Amino acid sequence: MKDVEIYSPNQALAADQQGTIIEPLVCPVCQQVNQCAVSAGQPIEDCWCLSASAKAVISDKLRTELKGKACVCQSCYQKLSQ
């Protein structure tokens, strides 16, 4: 579970630096459902990210803005990992 940052569904919705609300169930890259099990109230063991074999390269700016707030979806993660 190293390098996996967990969003707690009990946390209030966050806003980015421009004041845009960050929805924890929406991928911040493509704006589609991110399938995050934890954000949906399921155990971390059910999340797709635990089986991800490559490590995505996410910009420092995006990582900082979204840390602990929203996950990228599996499709964007795979694209960023190439």
Side-chain angles (χ1 to χ4, degrees):
M1 207 161 46
K2 185 179 161 188
D3 297 328
V4 174
E5 296 188 27
I6 300 173
Y7 167 82
S8 170
N10 297 324
Q11 292 174 335
L13 291 180
D16 65 14
Q17 293 176 350
Q18 289 76 35
T20 305
I21 298 296
I22 297 171
E23 169 58 55
L25 295 173
V26 175
C27 173
V29 178
C30 70
Q31 305 303 307
Q32 300 299 310
V33 177
N34 62 17
Q35 301 297 325
C36 177
V38 176
S39 293
Q42 300 170 3
I44 185 67
E45 294 79 19
D46 292 346
C47 203
W48 65 266
C49 67
L50 288 183
S51 64
S53 59
K55 189 170 183 176
V57 179
I58 299 173
S59 75
D60 289 339
K61 181 180 181 216
L62 184 60
R63 184 183 306 270
T64 299
E65 288 178 8
L66 300 175
K67 185 174 184 177
K69 298 173 188 164
C71 297
V72 296
C73 69
Q74 189 170 11
S75 177
C76 287
Y77 183 90
Q78 289 171 343
K79 289 174 189 171
L80 291 167
S81 298
Q82 296 176 355

